[in-house]
Amino acid sequence: QVQLVESGGGLVQAGGSLRLSCAASGRTFSDYAMGWFRQAPGKERAFVATINWSGSSTWYEDSVKGRFTISRDNAKSTVYLQMNSLKPEDTAVYYCAAQRGGYWSSRRTWSDVDSWGQGTQVTVSS
C-alpha cells in the first residue's frame, strides 16, 4: 500500500491560484497512476484530474479544463495540481488518489482507487 499526504490548500480570492502537492511513500511511486478528487459540503465526490504512471496521459473534468494542470515527478514521489483562475465553485476538500495498476480505466470508477490521503481544504472567496 502507498501512503499519501496532501498539502498546499488554503484561502484564496476568486481569480487567484494555488498549487497542491501530494507526497507518496511505502511503495514504488512509478507503479501507480495518480489523481485528484474533491468533495464540497452537500455534494458528491468527483474526480478532478488523473495521470498515468509516466505522466504521458492526463484527463480533466470539464469544469476545470484550461484552468487546472496535473503533473508528477517520479524522482520525488510527488504529484501536483496547479489550479489557476479559481472560482468559488472550486471550494472543496481536495484528495490525492493512487491506482496500483499504473493506468486508470476509461470509466474512472471508485473501485479503481487503492489509496487516498487525508485531504486539504481549498476555499475560494468572491
Side-chain angles (χ1 to χ4, degrees):
Q1 186 179 16
V2 62
Q3 290 76 49
L4 307 172
V5 180
E6 301 95 336
S7 62
L11 175 64
V12 65
Q13 191 175 40
S17 299
L18 286 172
R19 189 180 75 159
L20 307 184
S21 298
C22 173
S25 63
R27 300 291 291 273
T28 303
F29 182 69
S30 61
D31 289 346
Y32 290 81
M34 302 296 295
W36 292 91
F37 67 91
R38 64 187 180 186
Q39 186 163 26
K43 297 182 179 179
E44 295 184 352
R45 61 184 176 179
F47 277 97
V48 175
T50 60
I51 189 167
N52 73 343
W53 70 272
S54 68
S56 64
S57 179
T58 59
W59 171 92
Y60 299 93
E61 194 271 326
D62 286 344
S63 68
V64 307
K65 286 182 179 178
R67 300 190 297 120
F68 291 10
T69 302
I70 187 171
S71 62
R72 66 189 297 161
D73 187 339
N74 286 348
K76 296 181 178 180
S77 297
T78 302
V79 63
Y80 305 95
L81 186 68
Q82 178 66 46
M83 305 185 295
N84 298 326
S85 301
L86 283 162
K87 304 175 181 179
E89 304 91 271
D90 296 318
T91 296
V93 177
Y94 284 71
Y95 299 88
C96 180
Q99 195 267 58
R100 64 178 180 266
Y103 300 90
W104 293 98
S105 71
S106 60
R107 295 184 63 187
R108 236 171 309 277
T109 63
W110 294 112
S111 63
D112 293 330
V113 178
D114 295 300
S115 301
W116 64 90
Q118 296 296 312
T120 184
Q121 175 70 231
V122 172
T123 303
V124 184
S125 65
S126 59

